[in-house]
Amino acid sequence: DAGVIQSPRHEVTEMGQEVTLRCKPISGHNSLFWYRQTMMRGLELLIYFNNNVPIDDSGMPEDRFSAKMPNASFSTLKIQPSEPRDSAVYFCASRSDRTPEGEQYFGPGTRLTVT
Amino acid sequence: AQSVTQLGSHVSVSEGALVLLRCNYSSSVPPYLFWYVQYPNQGLQLLLKYTSAATLVKGINGFEAEFKKSETSFHLTKPSAHMSDAAEYFCAVSLYTGKLIFGQGTTLQVKP
């Protein structure tokens, strides 16, 4: 199994530009989570999907952030327009809810730098 | 509401010494508990998890954790630290939705 795949691994962009982060969950997993990690705020859950439906987006910082999951094998997190304070590492994780104790599997992350 | 507290944002041990990373949780129902490790510039990797089958849980790389309901704790230990154990460690609690509540993390430094 290839694990959770994220692209790009690194993204450098200028303030005001649109940024799209991509995630492919592990095949067969039906829950997908987007996290943001910074030194100041630690690891924050932004949004999670179950069976492609957004369940909890209370962690999305503001309207500039949006996430979609058009099918079971792909999700995007978009920031438009981007700001320097969005600089962080963004992780995607997936999980199977066939068992309630199933753990989340994390991707390698996308390091975003907004200048 | 559930929460997780990791005592000590930084822990430093000598190579070969005991590693003890502390985690206390708050949950109104029996929780599922996890320890994850994050090596530099990598994603989080599961070390071990508690799912009520046994209170002493063994994980990868020689780590183990003991669930103590009376103390609401799930501390992570390893008898002898290796240089390769230097990383950030996260404790997390989950209810049945699969959503995880993470602690703030503990950075483990291993000195030669």
Side-chain angles (χ1 to χ4, degrees):
Chain A
D1 196 326
V4 176
I5 298 173
Q6 292 187 246
S7 64
R9 291 294 311 276
H10 301 273
E11 177 79 39
V12 180
T13 191
E14 292 183 348
M15 182 174 63
Q17 297 297 306
E18 176 181 303
V19 175
T20 299
L21 311 182
R22 297 172 177 80
C23 175
K24 177 178 170 57
I26 292 172
S27 177
H29 284 189
N30 60 338
S31 289
L32 184 140
F33 305 79
W34 282 101
Y35 293 88
R36 177 172 68 177
Q37 186 178 39
T38 61
M39 290 292 291
M40 291 297 294
R41 301 173 70 93
L43 195 61
E44 303 173 276
L45 176 66
L46 300 177
I47 185 171
Y48 82 92
F49 296 84
N50 184 256
N51 295 323
N52 311 337
V53 176
I55 302 300
D56 182 354
D57 65 355
S58 60
M60 295 286 263
E62 50 197 274
D63 292 345
R64 297 186 297 107
F65 285 70
S66 62
K68 294 182 180 180
M69 192 164 187
N71 57 61
S73 58
F74 183 66
S75 177
T76 59
L77 178 67
K78 183 180 293 186
I79 308 172
Q80 180 184 22
S82 58
E83 296 182 3
R85 60 192 168 120
D86 301 330
S87 297
V89 181
Y90 291 82
F91 289 104
C92 175
S94 71
R95 172 185 183 271
S96 168
D97 64 4
R98 278 195 290 270
T99 56
E101 70 272 20
E103 64 266 28
Q104 293 183 20
Y105 293 78
F106 283 74
T110 295
R111 183 174 296 276
L112 173 64
T113 303
V114 183
T115 61
Chain B
Q2 306 135 280
S3 65
V4 174
T5 301
Q6 291 184 238
L7 300 175
S9 58
H10 288 82
V11 170
S12 182
V13 301
S14 297
E15 191 173 20
L18 171 71
V19 175
L20 171 61
L21 305 183
R22 300 177 186 273
C23 173
N24 288 88
Y25 70 91
S26 171
S27 178
S28 57
V29 297
Y32 298 127
L33 293 161
F34 304 81
W35 275 101
Y36 281 84
V37 60
Q38 184 180 27
Y39 299 104
N41 300 313
Q42 295 188 26
L44 278 71
Q45 176 184 358
L46 182 71
L47 267 181
L48 50 81
K49 64 180 179 181
Y50 168 75
T51 61
S52 76
T55 57
L56 183 61
V57 181
K58 294 188 183 299
I60 62 172
N61 300 338
F63 284 93
E64 62 182 35
E66 185 172 8
F67 173 72
K68 292 188 176 180
K69 183 178 179 180
S70 61
E71 298 177 8
T72 61
S73 69
F74 190 55
H75 301 332
L76 182 70
T77 61
K78 182 173 180 177
S80 176
H82 294 165
M83 296 297 292
S84 60
D85 294 328
E88 189 161 18
Y89 292 80
F90 293 92
C91 182
V93 63
S94 169
L95 272 188
Y96 307 104
T97 63
K99 180 178 173 180
L100 290 176
I101 307 298
F102 283 94
Q104 285 302 303
T106 298
T107 299
L108 176 65
Q109 179 187 22
V110 182
K111 297 177 291 185

